[in-house]
Amino acid sequence: VLSLMAPWSEPINITRIWCVFEKYVALAKGHKFDVIMPEEEDAKFQEALETTGMQPIWDLFFKVDIQKAQATAETDRRNILHLVDPDLPEDNLELYSNSCARINASVVYRLQQWFVKQALESIQQREEAGDPIPMKAYVNVAWLLSQQRNDEKTW
């Protein structure tokens, strides 16, 4: 599965039920799950890494919620949710579900891993090229690493 991070700061696919479900199935089945970002979005990511930081994207990931995700066809949404948790009541598909919470956590964790990896690789490439790196970029990467560690304890 290939996940497109566009726009990087609010990826649309994390709000779509088919996209969230496909990411989860890929993870659950051990299939490759990769993330890509268009060049213009990568440039914005790099700028944020050097200036404002990653808090907005980290916060956004906690909004991943398969039960609130959108579908073009409501029947698709209902079918996916019943596949994920057959015990969800038809008249209350947003009732808390451990199965749905596990899906959300799996997808979020993988996306967070990708962002941390991208940030680290960005710093490493710039160091190898001898390019100047603003101290804020190092601070933001350290923040990402600390957040990932904190979230690993939570999951």
Side-chain angles (χ1 to χ4, degrees):
V1 170
L2 195 57
S3 183
L4 178 66
M5 287 288 120
W8 85 269
S9 59
E10 285 191 61
I12 294 166
N13 63 33
I14 67 171
T15 66
R16 306 297 300 170
I17 196 163
W18 270 111
C19 296
V20 175
F21 182 66
E22 288 169 351
K23 288 172 181 54
Y24 170 71
V25 170
L27 290 167
K29 299 288 184 184
H31 297 302
K32 188 172 182 172
F33 172 9
D34 210 352
V35 181
I36 59 171
M37 192 171 4
E39 267 185 53
E40 60 274 5
E41 294 301 321
D42 185 57
K44 293 174 189 174
F45 170 74
Q46 298 299 327
E47 181 181 337
L49 185 61
E50 295 175 8
T51 57
T52 58
M54 301 287 109
Q55 182 74 50
I57 189 69
W58 211 260
D59 291 346
L60 180 71
F61 287 139
F62 288 99
K63 294 179 183 175
V64 171
D65 187 339
I66 194 165
Q67 289 176 274
K68 293 180 183 170
Q70 303 167 351
T72 303
E74 181 60 23
T75 54
D76 283 355
R77 183 176 174 277
R78 289 182 180 286
N79 289 337
I80 289 171
L81 289 174
H82 282 127
L83 183 64
V84 168
D85 187 345
D87 295 328
L88 276 173
E90 185 66 32
D91 62 343
N92 192 3
L93 292 174
E94 292 188 12
L95 184 68
Y96 180 81
S97 162
N98 284 329
S99 297
C100 292
R102 279 192 300 275
I103 287 171
N104 297 336
S106 295
V107 171
V108 166
Y109 183 68
R110 176 61 184 101
L111 292 172
Q112 288 174 334
Q113 285 179 315
W114 183 82
F115 267 95
V116 169
K117 180 177 174 262
Q118 285 301 110
L120 287 169
E121 286 177 0
S122 171
I123 294 291
Q124 184 178 19
Q125 289 169 358
R126 292 182 66 184
E127 284 177 342
E128 289 171 358
D131 295 340
I133 303 167
M135 182 57 71
K136 185 75 172 167
Y138 288 109
V139 170
N140 287 330
V141 168
W143 182 87
L144 280 172
L145 289 167
S146 72
Q147 291 303 304
Q148 184 181 34
R149 181 165 166 72
N150 289 341
D151 290 346
E152 284 175 353
K153 291 177 186 176
T154 303
W155 306 128

